[in-house]
Amino acid sequence: MRTVVFLLLIITSPASFASMLVLGDSLSAGYGIEQDRGWVNLMRERLKNSGYTLEVVNASVSGETTSGGLSRLPGLLETHQPSLVLIELGANDGLRGTPLEIVRANLQQLVELSQSAGAKVLMIGNRLPPNYGPQYTQAFFGLFEEVAQQKQTALVPFLLDGVASDWDLMQDDGYHPRAEAQPKILDTVWSNLEPLLAP
């Protein structure tokens, strides 16, 4: 009796993700600049040019808080079923002086919901202006690393690293980066994102 063996070779693209969800605030929504020049859109273009075929869903909303993101995330996960979630929230909580235990709990739930849906998570941290006092600002900055370590997620420590300190790259309000800063922001995110894209 002759046995015939078929060998099936499946050639895939570099990406193993169907979609990526960006859940952020005005820093990811492209506040004050043309939408196509924001770092999320630049990331979409870089992914395409690098051979990744995943869809990028930018669900960022200006003024969004961790509580607001938490209320929207279940529906976004159900609709888009992302394999990777970028969480860039917390800055507006900090600017409003939200108690840190609330911010921490919300960030933890955002990560848990994403992971429970089968997605990898990239936590994106931020800093507050120094006028909020060293005790609060330092503890706030430390929240992101704390949650990332606890939940074993990848981490971008500071989204505006090298940008927030350069006034030529910031808009007049001092909070939002100009279009010229967006490629630098993307580079900051990309160095932590790229390892997650490996098949």
Side-chain angles (χ1 to χ4, degrees):
M1 184 175 189
R2 179 179 297 177
T3 301
V4 180
V5 178
F6 292 95
L7 178 62
L8 178 63
L9 297 178
I10 301 177
I11 301 176
T12 63
S13 66
S16 58
F17 299 109
S19 66
M20 175 194 304
L21 175 68
V22 181
L23 185 67
D25 50 33
S26 57
L27 299 176
S28 299
Y31 176 88
I33 63 175
E34 297 176 4
Q35 293 299 306
D36 62 348
R37 300 186 67 183
W39 73 265
V40 176
N41 191 66
L42 297 180
M43 177 180 65
R44 183 182 289 114
E45 295 177 359
R46 183 176 293 187
L47 287 166
K48 181 180 179 180
N49 293 336
S50 300
Y52 296 100
T53 57
L54 70 165
E55 175 190 10
V56 177
V57 179
N58 191 358
S60 303
V61 176
S62 293
E64 186 67 288
T65 62
T66 55
S67 295
L70 196 55
S71 68
R72 293 193 297 125
L73 183 57
L76 291 168
L77 292 173
E78 182 178 359
T79 299
H80 302 288
Q81 299 183 357
S83 294
L84 180 58
V85 177
L86 278 60
I87 300 174
E88 184 274 302
L89 289 173
N92 289 307
D93 298 72
L95 292 174
R96 298 176 185 183
T98 304
L100 296 180
E101 58 269 21
I102 294 178
V103 183
R104 180 187 296 105
N106 288 343
L107 289 174
Q108 290 170 337
Q109 290 183 63
L110 287 167
V111 174
E112 290 168 358
L113 283 172
S114 300
Q115 292 176 333
S116 295
K120 291 184 178 182
V121 175
L122 175 61
M123 176 77 66
I124 301 178
N126 221 317
R127 290 184 181 273
L128 293 176
N131 58 299
Y132 280 75
Q135 182 175 356
Y136 186 82
T137 56
Q138 291 173 12
F140 173 84
F141 179 65
L143 280 180
F144 300 97
E145 182 176 4
E146 176 186 333
V147 174
Q149 289 182 349
Q150 181 186 38
K151 300 300 179 181
Q152 298 183 332
T153 75
L155 172 69
V156 176
F158 182 29
L159 179 65
L160 301 184
D161 187 27
V163 172
S165 58
D166 187 344
W167 286 105
D168 291 335
L169 295 178
M170 298 297 290
Q171 297 181 39
D172 292 340
D173 61 10
Y175 293 104
H176 298 95
R178 299 180 184 272
E180 292 78 8
Q182 302 300 313
K184 186 174 182 64
I185 296 173
L186 172 58
D187 287 341
T188 297
V189 174
W190 187 263
S191 61
N192 297 276
L193 171 67
E194 191 173 23
L196 300 179
L197 299 174

